Amino acid sequence: MKGKLFHRAGYKLENKKADALLETFRTHFMAEVCEQNSLHEKRSRLIWCNLLPGCHTIPTENVPRLPVAPNQKVYYYGERDNEMYATTFSEVCAFLRELEPWGEIDSEIFDDTFTWYIAITHEDISLVYGLETRAELNGLWLIEKLKTDPEFRKA
């Protein structure tokens, strides 16, 4: 994740801009992280471990199938190197496809609307909030289509 990760379609953000975006993300999607915990409770400092409930989990390999336009401008925040990039969703997906099996990343993907996010975890699962995941990703698209589209039922 170092250097010009998204050099074809994006750029690394300056710290001030990245900090402001990250603070807005935290305000929208994170629970408060307690600084002091009991001796028996250890809270993770990773963002995805402290997100508010309500997300779906999917295998990370299915992220490119999410309903986000390939040319959609997104922000990619890599927690391990504390760097944020402005890029496109297709560039993020290309990065994920090229990731080595032993490559561990913890990152968040979101856009300017702050209505959705994708959290990529080193556990090979991704947390998705605000994007429809059931229909295409779980193979139930036909059932959903039959229930919601009268024209499709006639065909």
Side-chain angles (χ1 to χ4, degrees), residues 20-34:
L21 285 166
L22 198 54
E23 185 58 34
T24 304
F25 179 90
R26 286 183 171 125
T27 301
H28 280 82
F29 300 121
M30 284 184 69
E32 287 188 37
V33 178
C34 299

Side-chain angles (χ1 to χ4, degrees), residues 35-108:
E35 290 299 320
Q36 294 186 348
N37 299 301
S38 70
L39 293 174
H40 302 291
E41 180 183 337
K42 182 178 179 184
R43 298 272 314 239
S44 175
R45 300 263 182 226
L46 292 172
I47 290 174
W48 67 265
C49 292
N50 295 289
L51 293 169
L52 294 170
C55 61
H56 299 278
T57 59
I58 63 169
T60 296
E61 66 191 34
N62 287 342
V63 166
R65 294 170 53 196
L66 287 168
V68 179
N71 62 346
Q72 170 75 39
K73 300 289 185 195
V74 298
Y75 298 107
Y76 176 97
Y77 175 67
E79 291 193 57
R80 292 181 181 257
D81 57 9
N82 193 30
E83 292 182 346
M84 188 175 298
Y85 295 87
T87 188
T88 62
F89 187 66
S90 64
E91 192 69 16
V92 172
C93 293
F95 168 72
L96 292 174
R97 281 191 295 276
E98 295 169 7
L99 191 64
E100 299 291 347
W102 56 85
E104 291 191 353
I105 61 170
D106 294 292
S107 58
E108 286 70 40

Side-chain angles (χ1 to χ4, degrees), residues 134 140-150 152-153:
R134 291 172 295 156
L140 301 175
W141 69 270
L142 181 59
I143 294 169
E144 288 291 319
K145 194 77 165 163
L146 287 169
K147 283 198 257 181
T148 59
D149 188 349
F152 186 80
R153 281 183 276 188

